[in-house]
């Protein structure tokens, strides 16, 4: 061996210690096990990761043994993560990402309007989900049809909860503080929930979905799973209608909606004119 040949490299541990016979697990081992990739993602990559994880958890959550409080906690955590991710897309700077309204929390009218905005957000998501599910049915993507029905059922239950949230105040507060704001001079006569455009779209698309589901020719096991989800979806619809009726009965005991009262006045006026 020539004296000019350098010695072989000496392998030393990064912690300057003699390695143990069986090295303990490291952060890299932990990340590898849980499929966590550490790099410098841009915001679009981060958002894609959040959406993938969110979709996987939402799909699996109904099949767990978690109680309602635990599921709500998981969903609340996902909502906070989604909110922070969406806020990150806004330009930075003072006032770019508002924290939300700070006036009147707990106020009946504030909650009524905020709850209806949440309701419309859910309805919009349901309308898009219906489009996707109908497209899947037309393309014979049976697993996607089943998943779409499951997602619609979850969204129906969320919409039912949103209605409960929107009306979570005493009936007297509705009569004294909320209902008058939907009457003249604050609103046009005949103000009604039937004017809800998102719900009108939902009604039409649900009718189309019922027709599409009636014509399915999926393989037996998949068809049975789809029919099962269809039954669960109809049950969620019944819960929604029952909850809405209960809210109406509590807040408007006489059962006379603003639209009904306006229609009655119009008929009375015409009869008088004649």
């Amino acid at each position: 061996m020539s004296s000019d040949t350098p010695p072989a490299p000496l392998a030393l541990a990064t912690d300057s210690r003699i390695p143990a016979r069986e090295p303990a697990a490291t952060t890299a081992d932990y990340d590898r096990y849980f499929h966590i990739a550490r790099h410098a993602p841009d915001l679009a990559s981060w958002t894609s990761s959040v959406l993938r994880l969110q979709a996987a958890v939402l799909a699996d959550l109904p099949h767990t043994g978690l109680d309602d409080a635990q599921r709500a906690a998981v969903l609340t955590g996902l909502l906070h993560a989604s909110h922070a991710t969406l806020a990150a897309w806004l330009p930075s700077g003072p006032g770019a990402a508002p924290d939300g309204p700070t006036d009147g929390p707990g106020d009946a009218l504030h909650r009524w309007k905020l709850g209806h905005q949440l309701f419309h957000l859910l309805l919009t998501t349901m309308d898009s989900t219906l489009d996707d599910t109908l497209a899947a049915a037309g393309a014979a993507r049976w697993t996607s049809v089943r998943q779409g029905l499951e997602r619609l059922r979850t969204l129906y239950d969320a919409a039912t909860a949103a209605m409960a949230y929107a009306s979570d105040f005493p009936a007297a507060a509705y009569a004294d503080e909320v209902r008058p704001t939907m009457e003249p001079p604050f609103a046009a006569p005949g103000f009604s929930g039937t004017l809800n455009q998102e719900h009108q779209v939902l009604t039409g698309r649900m009718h189309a979905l019922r027709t599409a589901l009636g014509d399915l020719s999926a393989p037996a096991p998949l068809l049975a799973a789809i029919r099962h989800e269809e039954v669960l979806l109809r049950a969620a619809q019944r819960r929604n209608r029952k909850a809405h009726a209960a809210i109406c009965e509590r807040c408007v005991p006489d059962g006379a909606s603003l639209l009904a009262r306006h229609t009655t006045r119009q008929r009375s006026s015409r009869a008088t004119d004649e």
Side-chain angles (χ1 to χ4, degrees):
M1 182 186 306
S2 170
S3 59
D4 296 331
T5 303
L10 175 62
L12 296 177
T14 55
D15 63 356
S16 301
R17 302 292 190 277
I18 297 175
R21 185 170 183 178
E22 293 184 1
T26 65
T27 299
D29 295 316
Y30 181 94
D31 290 350
R32 191 179 306 112
Y33 177 83
F34 285 110
H35 306 288
I36 296 173
R38 295 191 184 275
H39 51 86
D42 57 20
L43 185 54
S45 298
W46 164 259
T47 303
S48 296
S49 295
V50 170
L51 289 173
R52 281 196 300 271
L53 178 59
Q54 186 181 70
V57 173
L58 289 175
D60 187 50
L61 195 59
H63 308 290
T64 67
L66 273 62
D67 60 30
D68 290 343
Q70 291 170 318
R71 293 187 190 196
V74 170
L75 293 173
T76 300
L78 285 176
L79 184 60
H80 281 304
S82 297
H83 180 272
T85 299
L86 287 172
W89 280 97
L90 295 175
S92 59
D99 293 329
T102 57
D103 55 321
D107 174 77
L109 183 58
H110 174 82
R111 183 172 294 167
W112 177 251
K113 292 186 177 182
L114 190 63
H116 274 75
Q117 288 188 350
L118 172 59
F119 185 56
H120 276 264
L121 178 64
L122 293 168
L123 287 175
T124 301
T125 306
M126 293 166 77
D127 290 340
S128 295
T129 301
L130 276 163
D131 288 343
D132 293 342
T133 306
L134 283 165
R141 291 185 279 110
W142 309 124
T143 299
S144 295
V145 172
R146 180 188 60 76
Q147 292 172 342
L149 293 174
E150 183 180 22
R151 190 176 302 116
L152 282 168
R153 184 245 305 167
T154 302
L155 287 165
Y156 251 105
D157 285 336
T160 301
M163 292 192 308
Y165 167 72
S167 59
D168 186 32
F169 42 74
Y174 179 82
D176 298 338
E177 303 173 31
V178 175
R179 200 177 204 206
T181 66
M182 294 182 286
E183 298 179 280
F186 305 106
F191 192 89
S192 169
T194 60
L195 302 173
N196 182 333
Q197 178 176 313
E198 281 67 42
H199 192 268
Q200 292 173 5
V201 173
L202 177 73
T203 301
R205 300 306 275 164
M206 283 300 299
H207 179 74
L209 180 63
R210 284 193 296 271
T211 301
L213 292 177
D215 297 333
L216 290 185
S217 57
L222 287 172
L223 184 60
I226 290 172
R227 294 301 181 212
H228 176 67
E229 289 298 337
E230 189 179 3
V231 169
L232 294 179
L233 175 57
R234 286 200 297 268
Q237 290 178 284
R238 289 194 296 271
R239 287 192 294 271
N240 182 270
R241 288 191 291 267
K242 183 177 179 180
H244 183 259
I247 292 170
C248 293
E249 183 177 351
R250 180 174 66 86
C251 293
V252 190
D254 63 4
S257 69
L258 295 175
L259 178 59
R261 287 184 176 181
H262 174 62
T263 302
T264 300
R265 291 193 192 103
Q266 282 186 315
R267 288 173 179 169
S268 299
S269 177
R270 284 196 297 268
T272 302
D273 293 341
E274 292 171 358

